[in-house]
Amino acid sequence: MSTKHLPKTLSSEIIYKDRYLKVKKDLLINPQGQRREYVYIQKPDAVIIIAQQDDLFYLAREFRYPSKQLFTQFPLESKEESESFLKCAKRGLMEEMGLESDNWRLLGSFFTDPGISDQICQVFLTKNVRKTQFEHKDEGEQIEITPLKSNDIEELINSGKAESWTIAAWEIYKSRADRI
């Protein structure tokens, strides 16, 4: 599809904003002259951290309010505007898991939900993790560190109890496992 077939933005307004996201409403016109409104979310880009020590992977077990469920997932962190993805991953591992590492590798990236958001997520693998003294969780955040083996992660995914980010990160990891 060439760009001449894409809609043009006539106007854009922020209809909600907080520290985590913006909800925007744009007025679009398509090449046939039809107008429509499009509401979408702008969220900070993010990272998912696959922390591995030997045959164990460190996941976070955490309650997610919108779904009213506990999820066991790879740690994820929203990127600050001025920070690099790698710096965000290092900060996230420390803040969420109380771990650190000097061994980092970018595995890939994906759009989290391109129909409603422009957010991009990069997936990092870190090996040889070690406990650190620093641990600062967001206010009200309760995270249980959950070490799992790869077959346990597969079982979690196959049970239907994994969220999409963890599934995407795991598939990216597996697709590169022979080169890691």
Side-chain angles (χ1 to χ4, degrees):
M1 178 183 290
S2 72
T3 57
K4 70 179 181 178
H5 299 292
L6 300 178
K8 291 187 175 30
T9 305
L10 299 175
S11 65
S12 183
E13 69 175 300
I14 297 171
I15 56 177
Y16 176 80
K17 179 181 177 180
D18 66 19
R19 71 178 243 202
Y20 301 106
L21 60 88
K22 289 181 200 171
V23 179
K24 294 184 78 177
K25 180 169 64 173
D26 290 1
L27 179 60
L28 308 176
I29 187 167
N30 68 18
Q32 294 77 31
Q34 299 164 315
R35 293 173 183 237
R36 74 175 272 225
E37 288 184 344
Y38 200 97
V39 177
Y40 60 101
I41 301 167
Q42 285 188 319
K43 293 179 70 175
D45 290 335
V47 298
I48 293 181
I49 306 138
I50 299 177
Q52 182 180 6
Q53 183 66 43
D54 300 319
D55 64 342
L56 289 177
F57 297 85
Y58 291 90
L59 285 78
R61 185 160 169 78
E62 183 175 12
F63 180 74
R64 294 299 190 180
Y65 179 78
S67 61
K68 312 289 189 287
Q69 293 186 46
L70 282 167
F71 285 95
T72 302
Q73 61 193 47
F74 289 116
L76 50 104
E77 187 67 41
S78 293
K79 189 172 98 51
E80 301 291 332
E81 197 171 313
S82 63
E83 103 186 305
S84 70
F85 281 96
L86 178 58
K87 185 175 179 182
C88 175
K90 289 179 178 183
R91 177 176 57 80
L93 183 66
M94 189 176 298
E95 289 179 2
E96 300 227 345
M97 307 295 278
L99 299 171
E100 63 185 358
S101 174
D102 298 320
N103 184 342
W104 290 87
R105 180 169 178 195
L106 174 63
L107 296 180
S109 63
F110 62 94
F111 281 91
T112 59
D113 193 347
I116 63 167
S117 176
D118 62 349
Q119 184 179 47
I120 294 173
C121 181
Q122 289 193 351
V123 179
F124 283 89
L125 172 66
T126 184
K127 292 187 172 189
N128 304 319
V129 295
R130 60 191 174 276
K131 190 80 175 140
T132 180
Q133 297 299 318
F134 180 81
E135 191 172 354
H136 171 76
K137 295 181 176 72
D138 290 337
E139 187 176 320
E141 195 172 54
Q142 294 181 332
I143 296 174
E144 177 185 321
I145 298 171
T146 307
L148 296 176
K149 293 188 175 192
S150 61
N151 62 323
D152 298 321
I153 297 170
E154 290 289 336
E155 189 175 305
L156 175 73
I157 291 169
N158 292 332
S159 73
K161 296 179 181 174
E163 43 69 51
S164 61
W165 292 40
T166 292
I167 296 168
W170 188 244
E171 290 302 317
I172 289 170
Y173 169 82
K174 289 190 320 182
S175 74
R176 289 156 177 79
D178 61 336
R179 296 178 293 222
I180 298 173

